[in-house]
Amino acid sequence: MTNLPAPIRAYLGLLDTAVSRVRDLSNRAPELPMEAVAAAMQLSLRAQQRFAELTVRGDEVLGRIRGVPEEAPSWATFDDEHTDDE
C-alpha cells in the first residue's frame, strides 16, 4: 500500500478504467449502434410511462376537487362488460 492520498488513488483507478474501456471500444464498435437505439427506445418508453402516471395522478386530483361521479358515463364501455347478444 502506498502513502498517496485516497483521491489520487481513486483518480488513478478511474484513469485505468477509462483506458481499458477505450481498448474494449474497438471490440464493441459493431454493437454500439444497436445499443444506442435500444437505449433511446427504453428512454422513450420510460418517458411515456411517466407521462401516463402523471396523467392518472392529475385525473385523481381533479376527481378530488370536482368530485367523482357515482356511475360511469353512458358512453363509457369496459372490456369486462358483456351484452346480452353475446
Side-chain angles (χ1 to χ4, degrees):
M1 205 56 141
T2 65
N3 292 336
L4 291 174
I8 292 175
R9 295 192 322 259
Y11 174 75
L12 289 173
L14 179 64
L15 188 62
D16 184 56
T17 300
V19 167
S20 66
R21 293 233 175 159
V22 168
R23 285 182 185 151
D24 238 7
L25 192 59
S26 64
N27 296 335
R28 293 187 51 224
E31 303 168 3
L32 291 178
M34 286 305 295
E35 286 182 15
V37 169
M41 289 177 64
Q42 188 177 34
L43 182 63
S44 171
L45 288 174
R46 279 192 199 143
Q48 289 174 12
Q49 286 177 329
R50 185 67 177 144
F51 180 79
E53 290 170 1
L54 291 173
T55 302
V56 168
R57 191 168 181 171
D59 288 344
E60 291 171 355
V61 169
L62 287 174
R64 286 194 306 254
I65 293 171
R66 287 196 242 168
V68 179
E70 298 274 336
E71 295 179 11
S74 60
W75 51 264
T77 59
F78 300 95
D79 291 339
D80 58 350
E81 291 182 2
H82 299 286
T83 61
D84 293 334
D85 297 336
E86 292 180 23

Coordinates of all heavy atoms in Angstrom, one line a residue:
M1 N 0.8 -1.2 0.0 CA 0.0 0.0 0.0 C 0.9 1.2 0.0 O 1.9 1.3 0.7 CB -0.9 -0.1 1.3 CG -2.1 0.7 1.2 SD -3.1 0.2 -0.2 CE -4.7 0.3 0.5
T2 N 0.5 2.2 -0.7 CA 1.3 3.5 -0.8 C 0.7 4.5 0.1 O -0.4 4.3 0.7 CB 1.3 4.0 -2.2 OG1 -0.1 4.4 -2.5 CG2 1.8 3.0 -3.2
N3 N 1.5 5.6 0.3 CA 1.0 6.6 1.2 C 0.3 7.8 0.4 O 0.2 8.8 0.9 CB 2.2 7.2 2.0 CG 2.8 6.2 2.9 OD1 2.0 5.3 3.4 ND2 4.0 6.3 3.3
L4 N -0.1 7.5 -0.8 CA -0.7 8.5 -1.6 C -2.1 8.8 -1.0 O -2.8 7.8 -0.5 CB -0.9 8.1 -3.1 CG 0.5 8.0 -3.9 CD1 0.2 7.4 -5.2 CD2 1.0 9.4 -4.0
P5 N -2.6 10.0 -1.1 CA -4.0 10.3 -0.7 C -5.0 9.5 -1.5 O -4.8 9.2 -2.6 CB -4.1 11.8 -0.9 CG -2.7 12.3 -1.0 CD -1.9 11.2 -1.6
A6 N -6.1 9.3 -0.8 CA -7.2 8.5 -1.4 C -7.7 9.1 -2.7 O -8.0 8.4 -3.7 CB -8.3 8.3 -0.4
P7 N -7.9 10.4 -2.9 CA -8.4 11.0 -4.1 C -7.4 10.7 -5.3 O -7.9 10.4 -6.4 CB -8.5 12.5 -3.8 CG -8.7 12.6 -2.4 CD -7.9 11.4 -1.8
I8 N -6.1 10.7 -5.0 CA -5.2 10.4 -6.1 C -5.3 9.0 -6.5 O -5.3 8.6 -7.7 CB -3.7 10.8 -5.7 CG1 -3.6 12.3 -5.5 CG2 -2.7 10.3 -6.7 CD1 -2.3 12.8 -5.0
R9 N -5.4 8.1 -5.6 CA -5.5 6.6 -5.9 C -6.8 6.4 -6.6 O -6.9 5.6 -7.6 CB -5.5 5.8 -4.6 CG -4.1 5.9 -3.9 CD -3.9 4.8 -2.8 NE -5.0 4.5 -2.0 CZ -5.2 5.0 -0.8 NH1 -4.3 5.8 -0.2 NH2 -6.3 4.7 -0.1
A10 N -7.9 7.1 -6.2 CA -9.2 6.9 -7.0 C -9.0 7.4 -8.4 O -9.6 6.8 -9.3 CB -10.3 7.7 -6.2
Y11 N -8.3 8.6 -8.6 CA -8.1 9.1 -9.9 C -7.4 8.1 -10.8 O -7.7 7.9 -11.9 CB -7.4 10.5 -9.8 CG -7.0 11.0 -11.2 CD1 -8.0 11.6 -12.0 CD2 -5.7 10.9 -11.6 CE1 -7.7 12.1 -13.2 CE2 -5.4 11.4 -12.9 CZ -6.4 12.0 -13.7 OH -6.0 12.5 -14.9
L12 N -6.3 7.5 -10.2 CA -5.6 6.5 -11.0 C -6.4 5.3 -11.3 O -6.3 4.8 -12.4 CB -4.4 6.1 -10.2 CG -3.2 7.1 -10.0 CD1 -2.2 6.6 -9.1 CD2 -2.7 7.4 -11.4
G13 N -7.3 4.9 -10.4 CA -8.2 3.8 -10.8 C -9.2 4.2 -11.9 O -9.5 3.4 -12.8
L14 N -9.7 5.4 -11.8 CA -10.6 5.9 -12.9 C -9.9 6.0 -14.2 O -10.4 5.6 -15.2 CB -11.1 7.3 -12.5 CG -12.0 8.0 -13.5 CD1 -13.3 7.2 -13.6 CD2 -12.3 9.4 -13.0
L15 N -8.7 6.5 -14.2 CA -7.9 6.5 -15.4 C -7.6 5.2 -16.0 O -7.8 5.0 -17.2 CB -6.5 7.2 -15.1 CG -5.6 7.6 -16.3 CD1 -6.4 8.5 -17.2 CD2 -4.3 8.2 -15.8
D16 N -7.3 4.2 -15.2 CA -7.1 2.8 -15.6 C -8.4 2.2 -16.2 O -8.4 1.6 -17.3 CB -6.6 1.9 -14.5 CG -6.3 0.5 -15.0 OD1 -5.5 0.4 -15.9 OD2 -6.9 -0.4 -14.4
T17 N -9.5 2.5 -15.6 CA -10.8 2.1 -16.1 C -11.1 2.7 -17.5 O -11.6 2.0 -18.4 CB -11.9 2.4 -15.1 OG1 -11.7 1.8 -13.9 CG2 -13.3 2.0 -15.6
A18 N -10.8 4.0 -17.6 CA -11.1 4.7 -18.9 C -10.2 4.1 -20.0 O -10.7 3.8 -21.1 CB -10.8 6.2 -18.7
V19 N -8.9 3.8 -19.7 CA -8.0 3.2 -20.7 C -8.5 1.8 -21.1 O -8.6 1.5 -22.3 CB -6.6 3.2 -20.2 CG1 -5.7 2.3 -21.0 CG2 -6.0 4.6 -20.0
S20 N -9.0 1.0 -20.2 CA -9.4 -0.3 -20.5 C -10.7 -0.3 -21.3 O -10.9 -1.1 -22.2 CB -9.6 -1.2 -19.3 OG -10.6 -0.7 -18.5
R21 N -11.6 0.7 -21.0 CA -12.8 0.9 -21.8 C -12.5 1.3 -23.3 O -13.2 0.9 -24.2 CB -13.8 1.8 -21.1 CG -14.3 1.3 -19.8 CD -15.7 1.4 -19.8 NE -16.2 0.8 -18.5 CZ -17.3 1.0 -18.0 NH1 -18.1 1.9 -18.6 NH2 -17.7 0.4 -16.9
V22 N -11.5 2.2 -23.4 CA -11.2 2.6 -24.8 C -10.6 1.5 -25.5 O -10.9 1.3 -26.7 CB -10.2 3.8 -24.7 CG1 -9.6 4.1 -26.1 CG2 -10.9 5.1 -24.2
R23 N -9.8 0.6 -24.9 CA -9.3 -0.6 -25.6 C -10.4 -1.5 -26.0 O -10.4 -2.1 -27.0 CB -8.3 -1.3 -24.7 CG -7.0 -0.6 -24.6 CD -6.0 -1.4 -23.7 NE -4.8 -0.6 -23.5 CZ -4.0 -0.7 -22.4 NH1 -4.4 -1.5 -21.5 NH2 -3.0 0.0 -22.3
D24 N -11.4 -1.6 -25.1 CA -12.6 -2.5 -25.4 C -13.5 -2.0 -26.5 O -14.2 -2.7 -27.1 CB -13.4 -2.6 -24.1 CG -13.5 -4.1 -23.6 OD1 -12.9 -4.9 -24.2 OD2 -14.3 -4.3 -22.7
L25 N -13.4 -0.7 -26.7 CA -14.3 0.0 -27.6 C -14.1 -0.6 -29.0 O -15.1 -0.7 -29.7 CB -14.0 1.5 -27.6 CG -15.0 2.4 -28.3 CD1 -16.4 2.2 -27.7 CD2 -14.6 3.8 -28.2
S26 N -12.9 -0.9 -29.4 CA -12.7 -1.4 -30.8 C -13.4 -2.8 -31.0 O -13.9 -3.1 -32.0 CB -11.2 -1.5 -31.1 OG -10.6 -2.5 -30.2
N27 N -13.5 -3.5 -29.9 CA -14.2 -4.8 -30.0 C -15.7 -4.7 -30.0 O -16.4 -5.5 -30.5 CB -13.8 -5.7 -28.8 CG -12.3 -6.1 -28.8 OD1 -11.7 -6.1 -29.9 ND2 -11.8 -6.4 -27.7
R28 N -16.2 -3.6 -29.3 CA -17.6 -3.4 -29.2 C -18.2 -2.5 -30.3 O -19.4 -2.2 -30.3 CB -17.9 -2.8 -27.8 CG -17.6 -3.7 -26.7 CD -18.1 -3.2 -25.3 NE -19.5 -2.7 -25.4 CZ -19.9 -1.6 -24.9 NH1 -19.0 -0.8 -24.3 NH2 -21.1 -1.2 -24.9
A29 N -17.4 -1.9 -31.1 CA -17.8 -0.9 -32.1 C -19.0 -1.4 -32.9 O -20.0 -0.6 -33.1 CB -16.7 -0.5 -33.0
P30 N -19.1 -2.6 -33.4 CA -20.3 -3.1 -34.2 C -21.6 -3.1 -33.4 O -22.6 -2.9 -33.9 CB -19.9 -4.5 -34.6 CG -18.4 -4.6 -34.5 CD -18.0 -3.7 -33.4
E31 N -21.5 -3.2 -32.0 CA -22.6 -3.3 -31.2 C -23.2 -1.9 -30.8 O -24.3 -1.8 -30.4 CB -22.3 -4.1 -29.9 CG -21.8 -5.5 -30.1 CD -21.2 -6.0 -28.8 OE1 -21.3 -5.4 -27.8 OE2 -20.7 -7.2 -28.9
L32 N -22.4 -0.9 -30.9 CA -22.8 0.4 -30.4 C -24.0 1.0 -31.0 O -24.8 1.5 -30.3 CB -21.6 1.4 -30.5 CG -20.4 1.0 -29.5 CD1 -19.3 2.0 -29.7 CD2 -20.9 1.1 -28.1
P33 N -24.2 0.9 -32.3 CA -25.4 1.5 -32.9 C -26.7 0.8 -32.3 O -27.7 1.5 -32.0 CB -25.3 1.3 -34.4 CG -23.8 1.1 -34.6 CD -23.3 0.5 -33.4
M34 N -26.7 -0.5 -32.2 CA -27.8 -1.2 -31.7 C -28.1 -0.8 -30.2 O -29.2 -0.7 -29.7 CB -27.7 -2.7 -31.8 CG -27.9 -3.1 -33.3 SD -29.5 -2.6 -34.0 CE -30.6 -3.5 -32.9
E35 N -27.0 -0.7 -29.5 CA -27.1 -0.3 -28.0 C -27.7 1.1 -27.9 O -28.5 1.4 -27.0 CB -25.8 -0.4 -27.3 CG -25.3 -1.8 -27.1 CD -24.0 -1.9 -26.3 OE1 -23.5 -0.8 -25.8 OE2 -23.4 -3.0 -26.3
A36 N -27.3 2.0 -28.8 CA -27.8 3.4 -28.8 C -29.3 3.4 -29.1 O -30.1 4.1 -28.5 CB -27.0 4.2 -29.8
V37 N -29.7 2.6 -30.1 CA -31.1 2.5 -30.5 C -31.9 1.9 -29.3 O -33.0 2.4 -29.0 CB -31.3 1.7 -31.8 CG1 -32.8 1.4 -32.0 CG2 -30.7 2.4 -32.9
A38 N -31.4 0.9 -28.7 CA -32.1 0.2 -27.6 C -32.2 1.2 -26.4 O -33.3 1.3 -25.8 CB -31.4 -1.0 -27.2
A39 N -31.2 1.9 -26.1 CA -31.2 2.9 -25.0 C -32.2 4.0 -25.3 O -33.0 4.4 -24.4 CB -29.8 3.5 -24.8
A40 N -32.3 4.5 -26.6 CA -33.2 5.5 -26.9 C -34.7 5.0 -26.8 O -35.6 5.7 -26.3 CB -33.0 6.0 -28.4
M41 N -34.9 3.8 -27.3 CA -36.3 3.2 -27.1 C -36.7 3.0 -25.7 O -37.8 3.3 -25.3 CB -36.3 1.9 -27.9 CG -36.3 2.1 -29.4 SD -36.3 0.5 -30.3 CE -37.9 -0.2 -29.8
Q42 N -35.7 2.6 -24.9 CA -36.0 2.4 -23.4 C -36.3 3.7 -22.8 O -37.3 3.8 -22.0 CB -34.8 1.7 -22.8 CG -35.1 1.3 -21.4 CD -33.9 0.6 -20.8 OE1 -32.7 0.9 -21.1 NE2 -34.1 -0.4 -19.9
L43 N -35.6 4.8 -23.1 CA -35.8 6.1 -22.6 C -37.2 6.6 -23.0 O -37.9 7.2 -22.2 CB -34.7 7.0 -23.0 CG -34.8 8.5 -22.5 CD1 -34.7 8.5 -21.0 CD2 -33.7 9.3 -23.1
S44 N -37.5 6.4 -24.3 CA -38.8 6.8 -24.8 C -40.0 6.1 -24.0 O -41.0 6.7 -23.6 CB -38.9 6.5 -26.3 OG -40.2 6.7 -26.7
L45 N -39.8 4.8 -23.8 CA -40.9 4.1 -23.1 C -41.0 4.5 -21.7 O -42.1 4.7 -21.1 CB -40.6 2.6 -23.2 CG -40.8 1.9 -24.5 CD1 -40.4 0.5 -24.5 CD2 -42.3 2.0 -24.9
R46 N -39.9 4.8 -21.0 CA -39.9 5.3 -19.6 C -40.6 6.7 -19.6 O -41.4 6.9 -18.7 CB -38.5 5.4 -19.1 CG -38.0 4.1 -18.6 CD -36.7 4.4 -17.8 NE -36.0 3.2 -17.7 CZ -34.6 3.1 -17.7 NH1 -33.9 4.2 -17.8 NH2 -34.0 1.9 -17.6
A47 N -40.3 7.5 -20.6 CA -41.0 8.8 -20.6 C -42.5 8.7 -20.8 O -43.3 9.4 -20.2 CB -40.4 9.7 -21.7
Q48 N -42.9 7.8 -21.7 CA -44.3 7.5 -21.9 C -45.0 7.0 -20.6 O -46.1 7.4 -20.3 CB -44.5 6.6 -23.1 CG -44.2 7.1 -24.4 CD -44.3 6.1 -25.5 OE1 -44.8 5.0 -25.3 NE2 -43.7 6.4 -26.7
Q49 N -44.3 6.1 -19.9 CA -44.9 5.6 -18.7 C -45.0 6.7 -17.7 O -46.0 6.7 -17.0 CB -44.0 4.4 -18.2 CG -44.2 3.2 -18.9 CD -43.2 2.1 -18.4 OE1 -42.1 2.4 -17.9 NE2 -43.6 0.8 -18.5
R50 N -44.0 7.5 -17.5 CA -44.0 8.6 -16.5 C -45.2 9.5 -16.9 O -45.9 10.0 -16.0 CB -42.7 9.3 -16.5 CG -42.6 10.3 -15.4 CD -42.6 9.7 -14.1 NE -42.4 10.7 -13.1 CZ -43.0 10.8 -11.9 NH1 -43.8 9.8 -11.6 NH2 -42.8 11.8 -11.1
F51 N -45.3 9.9 -18.2 CA -46.4 10.8 -18.6 C -47.7 10.2 -18.3 O -48.6 10.9 -17.7 CB -46.3 11.0 -20.1 CG -47.3 11.9 -20.6 CD1 -47.2 13.3 -20.5 CD2 -48.4 11.4 -21.3 CE1 -48.2 14.2 -21.0 CE2 -49.4 12.3 -21.8 CZ -49.3 13.6 -21.6
A52 N -47.9 8.9 -18.5 CA -49.2 8.2 -18.2 C -49.5 8.3 -16.7 O -50.6 8.5 -16.2 CB -49.2 6.8 -18.7
E53 N -48.4 8.0 -15.9 CA -48.6 8.1 -14.4 C -49.0 9.4 -13.9 O -49.9 9.6 -13.1 CB -47.3 7.6 -13.7 CG -46.9 6.2 -13.9 CD -45.5 5.9 -13.4 OE1 -44.8 6.8 -12.9 OE2 -45.1 4.7 -13.5
L54 N -48.3 10.5 -14.5 CA -48.7 11.8 -14.1 C -50.1 12.2 -14.6 O -50.8 12.9 -13.9 CB -47.6 12.8 -14.7 CG -46.2 12.7 -14.1 CD1 -45.3 13.6 -14.9 CD2 -46.2 13.1 -12.7
T55 N -50.5 11.7 -15.7 CA -51.9 12.0 -16.2 C -52.9 11.3 -15.3 O -53.9 12.0 -14.9 CB -52.0 11.4 -17.6 OG1 -51.1 12.0 -18.5 CG2 -53.4 11.7 -18.2
V56 N -52.7 10.1 -14.8 CA -53.6 9.4 -13.9 C -53.6 10.2 -12.6 O -54.7 10.4 -12.0 CB -53.1 8.0 -13.7 CG1 -53.9 7.3 -12.5 CG2 -53.4 7.2 -15.0
R57 N -52.5 10.6 -12.1 CA -52.4 11.4 -10.9 C -53.1 12.7 -11.0 O -53.9 13.1 -10.1 CB -51.0 11.6 -10.5 CG -50.8 12.1 -9.1 CD -49.4 12.1 -8.6 NE -49.3 12.6 -7.3 CZ -48.2 12.5 -6.6 NH1 -47.1 11.9 -7.0 NH2 -48.2 13.0 -5.3
G58 N -53.0 13.3 -12.2 CA -53.7 14.6 -12.4 C -55.2 14.3 -12.4 O -56.0 15.1 -11.9
D59 N -55.7 13.2 -13.0 CA -57.1 12.9 -13.0 C -57.6 12.7 -11.6 O -58.7 13.0 -11.2 CB -57.3 11.6 -13.8 CG -57.2 11.9 -15.3 OD1 -57.2 13.0 -15.7 OD2 -57.0 10.9 -16.1
E60 N -56.8 12.0 -10.7 CA -57.2 11.8 -9.3 C -57.3 13.1 -8.6 O -58.2 13.3 -7.8 CB -56.1 10.9 -8.6 CG -56.1 9.5 -9.1 CD -54.9 8.7 -8.6 OE1 -54.1 9.3 -7.9 OE2 -54.9 7.5 -8.9
V61 N -56.4 14.1 -8.9 CA -56.5 15.4 -8.2 C -57.8 16.1 -8.7 O -58.5 16.6 -7.9 CB -55.3 16.2 -8.6 CG1 -55.5 17.7 -8.1 CG2 -54.0 15.6 -7.9
L62 N -58.1 16.0 -10.0 CA -59.3 16.7 -10.5 C -60.5 16.0 -9.9 O -61.5 16.7 -9.6 CB -59.3 16.6 -12.0 CG -58.4 17.5 -12.7 CD1 -58.4 17.2 -14.2 CD2 -58.7 19.0 -12.5
G63 N -60.5 14.7 -9.7 CA -61.6 14.0 -9.1 C -61.8 14.4 -7.7 O -63.0 14.5 -7.2
R64 N -60.7 14.6 -6.9 CA -60.9 15.1 -5.6 C -61.5 16.5 -5.5 O -62.2 16.9 -4.6 CB -59.5 15.1 -4.8 CG -59.1 13.7 -4.5 CD -58.0 13.7 -3.5 NE -56.8 14.5 -3.9 CZ -55.7 14.0 -4.4 NH1 -55.5 12.7 -4.5 NH2 -54.7 14.8 -4.7
I65 N -61.1 17.3 -6.5 CA -61.5 18.7 -6.5 C -63.0 18.8 -6.9 O -63.8 19.4 -6.3 CB -60.7 19.6 -7.4 CG1 -59.3 19.7 -6.8 CG2 -61.3 21.0 -7.6 CD1 -58.3 20.4 -7.8
R66 N -63.3 18.1 -8.0 CA -64.7 18.2 -8.6 C -65.6 17.1 -8.1 O -66.8 17.3 -8.2 CB -64.6 18.0 -10.1 CG -64.0 19.2 -10.8 CD -64.4 19.0 -12.3 NE -63.1 18.9 -13.1 CZ -63.1 18.6 -14.3 NH1 -64.2 18.2 -15.0 NH2 -62.0 18.5 -15.0
G67 N -65.1 16.1 -7.5 CA -65.9 15.0 -7.0 C -66.0 14.0 -8.1 O -66.1 14.3 -9.3
V68 N -66.0 12.7 -7.7 CA -66.0 11.6 -8.7 C -67.5 11.2 -8.9 O -68.2 11.0 -7.9 CB -65.2 10.4 -8.2 CG1 -65.3 9.3 -9.2 CG2 -63.8 10.9 -8.0
P69 N -68.0 11.1 -10.1 CA -69.4 10.7 -10.3 C -69.6 9.2 -9.8 O -68.7 8.4 -9.8 CB -69.6 10.8 -11.8 CG -68.2 10.8 -12.4 CD -67.3 11.3 -11.4
E70 N -70.8 9.0 -9.3 CA -71.1 7.7 -8.7 C -71.1 6.6 -9.8 O -70.7 5.5 -9.6 CB -72.5 7.7 -8.0 CG -72.5 8.7 -6.9 CD -72.1 8.0 -5.6 OE1 -72.1 6.8 -5.5 OE2 -71.6 8.7 -4.7
E71 N -71.7 6.9 -11.0 CA -71.8 6.0 -12.1 C -70.9 6.4 -13.2 O -70.6 7.5 -13.4 CB -73.3 5.9 -12.6 CG -74.2 5.4 -11.5 CD -75.7 5.4 -12.0 OE1 -75.8 5.6 -13.3 OE2 -76.6 5.2 -11.2
A72 N -70.6 5.4 -14.0 CA -69.8 5.6 -15.2 C -70.7 6.3 -16.2 O -71.9 6.1 -16.3 CB -69.2 4.3 -15.8
P73 N -70.1 7.2 -17.1 CA -71.0 7.9 -18.1 C -71.6 6.8 -19.0 O -71.1 5.7 -19.2 CB -70.0 8.7 -18.8 CG -68.7 8.8 -18.0 CD -68.8 7.6 -17.1
S74 N -72.7 7.2 -19.7 CA -73.4 6.3 -20.5 C -72.6 5.9 -21.7 O -72.7 4.8 -22.3 CB -74.7 6.9 -21.0 OG -74.5 8.1 -21.7
W75 N -71.7 6.7 -22.1 CA -70.8 6.4 -23.3 C -69.7 5.5 -23.0 O -69.0 5.0 -23.9 CB -70.3 7.7 -24.0 CG -69.7 8.6 -23.0 CD1 -70.3 9.7 -22.4 CD2 -68.3 8.6 -22.6 NE1 -69.4 10.3 -21.6 CE2 -68.2 9.7 -21.7 CE3 -67.2 7.8 -22.8 CZ2 -67.0 10.0 -21.0 CZ3 -66.0 8.1 -22.2 CH2 -65.9 9.1 -21.3
A76 N -69.4 5.3 -21.7 CA -68.2 4.5 -21.3 C -68.5 3.0 -21.4 O -69.5 2.6 -21.0 CB -67.8 4.8 -19.9
T77 N -67.6 2.3 -22.1 CA -67.7 0.9 -22.2 C -66.4 0.3 -21.6 O -65.3 0.8 -21.7 CB -67.9 0.4 -23.6 OG1 -66.8 0.9 -24.4 CG2 -69.2 0.9 -24.2
F78 N -66.6 -0.9 -21.0 CA -65.4 -1.6 -20.4 C -65.3 -3.0 -21.0 O -66.3 -3.6 -21.4 CB -65.6 -1.6 -18.9 CG -65.7 -0.2 -18.3 CD1 -66.9 0.4 -18.0 CD2 -64.5 0.5 -18.0 CE1 -67.0 1.6 -17.5 CE2 -64.6 1.8 -17.5 CZ -65.8 2.3 -17.2
D79 N -64.1 -3.5 -21.0 CA -63.9 -4.8 -21.6 C -64.6 -5.9 -20.9 O -65.0 -6.9 -21.5 CB -62.4 -5.1 -21.7 CG -61.7 -4.2 -22.7 OD1 -62.3 -3.7 -23.6 OD2 -60.4 -4.1 -22.6
D80 N -64.7 -5.8 -19.6 CA -65.3 -6.9 -18.8 C -66.8 -6.9 -18.9 O -67.5 -7.8 -18.4 CB -64.8 -6.9 -17.4 CG -65.2 -5.5 -16.7 OD1 -65.6 -4.6 -17.3 OD2 -64.9 -5.5 -15.4
E81 N -67.5 -5.9 -19.4 CA -68.9 -5.9 -19.6 C -69.3 -6.7 -20.8 O -68.7 -6.6 -21.9 CB -69.4 -4.5 -19.7 CG -69.3 -3.7 -18.4 CD -69.9 -2.3 -18.6 OE1 -70.4 -2.0 -19.7 OE2 -69.8 -1.5 -17.7
H82 N -70.3 -7.5 -20.7 CA -70.8 -8.3 -21.8 C -72.3 -8.0 -22.1 O -73.0 -7.8 -21.1 CB -70.7 -9.8 -21.5 CG -69.3 -10.3 -21.3 ND1 -68.4 -10.4 -22.3 CD2 -68.6 -10.6 -20.2 CE1 -67.2 -10.8 -21.9 NE2 -67.3 -10.9 -20.5
T83 N -72.6 -7.8 -23.3 CA -74.0 -7.5 -23.7 C -74.8 -8.8 -23.7 O -74.3 -9.9 -23.8 CB -74.1 -6.8 -25.0 OG1 -73.5 -7.6 -26.0 CG2 -73.3 -5.5 -25.0
D84 N -76.1 -8.7 -23.8 CA -77.0 -9.9 -23.9 C -76.8 -10.6 -25.2 O -77.2 -11.8 -25.3 CB -78.5 -9.5 -23.7 CG -78.7 -8.9 -22.3 OD1 -77.9 -9.4 -21.4 OD2 -79.6 -8.1 -22.0
D85 N -76.4 -9.9 -26.3 CA -76.2 -10.5 -27.6 C -75.1 -11.6 -27.6 O -75.1 -12.5 -28.4 CB -75.9 -9.5 -28.6 CG -77.0 -8.5 -28.8 OD1 -78.2 -8.8 -28.4 OD2 -76.7 -7.3 -29.2
E86 N -74.2 -11.6 -26.7 CA -73.1 -12.5 -26.7 C -73.4 -13.8 -26.1 O -74.1 -14.1 -25.2 CB -71.9 -11.9 -25.9 CG -71.3 -10.7 -26.6 CD -70.1 -10.1 -25.8 OE1 -69.5 -10.8 -25.0 OE2 -69.8 -8.9 -26.0

